[in-house]
Amino acid sequence: QAVVNLLENIRYNNTDEITARCNDQLVDFPTTIFDVVLANITRNVLMDHANELRRITKKNGTLTLSGFLSKDHDVILQTFKQADFEPIFFLEENDWIAQTFKKL
């Protein structure tokens, strides 16, 4: 549903500068490097694909992760720091986290 809503907003705003994907196989992404990457996937998929997320995020770009529980926040931070991301902001609601990073 999130991708459907995103595609509607892309059409509504008449832009072609946004790429949307709905799958957990990040290796299917093109070789494009993005300024902003949003990934709402489970903890294990996020951690398994930390290097792919690094690959598709532009240097000094922004990566926002969500879809994982508060209890997993520390391991997500550790994993993405090791993948050259600096945590810059997070939100927590009802035991769910959204974490934003800057790629170094």
Side-chain angles (χ1 to χ4, degrees), residues 12-35:
Y12 178 76
N13 289 293
N14 196 27
T15 183
D16 61 357
E17 296 181 16
I18 299 172
T19 301
R21 295 279 194 278
C22 182
N23 81 38
D24 64 0
Q25 299 301 316
L26 298 179
V27 294
D28 292 341
F29 268 68
T31 57
T32 306
I33 306 300
F34 299 96
D35 295 319

Side-chain angles (χ1 to χ4, degrees), residues 15-98:
T15 183
D16 61 357
E17 296 181 16
I18 299 172
T19 301
R21 295 279 194 278
C22 182
N23 81 38
D24 64 0
Q25 299 301 316
L26 298 179
V27 294
D28 292 341
F29 268 68
T31 57
T32 306
I33 306 300
F34 299 96
D35 295 319
V36 177
V37 176
L38 309 172
N40 183 8
I41 316 172
T42 64
R43 178 198 81 160
N44 289 342
V45 175
L46 290 170
M47 291 174 60
D48 289 346
H49 294 292
N51 289 328
E52 282 300 307
L53 289 164
R54 180 182 66 225
R55 181 184 65 78
I56 65 172
T57 305
K58 185 179 189 177
K59 184 176 180 173
N60 295 315
T62 302
L63 170 67
T64 297
L65 308 176
S66 61
F68 62 94
L69 295 169
S70 301
K71 67 179 185 167
D72 298 320
H73 195 199
D74 287 342
V75 71
I76 290 286
L77 288 173
Q78 193 172 46
T79 299
F80 282 85
K81 284 179 182 178
Q82 290 174 351
D84 295 327
F85 285 98
E86 175 185 0
I88 56 174
F89 181 78
F90 81 95
L91 292 173
E92 180 175 4
E93 184 174 319
N94 298 326
D95 290 327
W96 292 96
I97 298 283

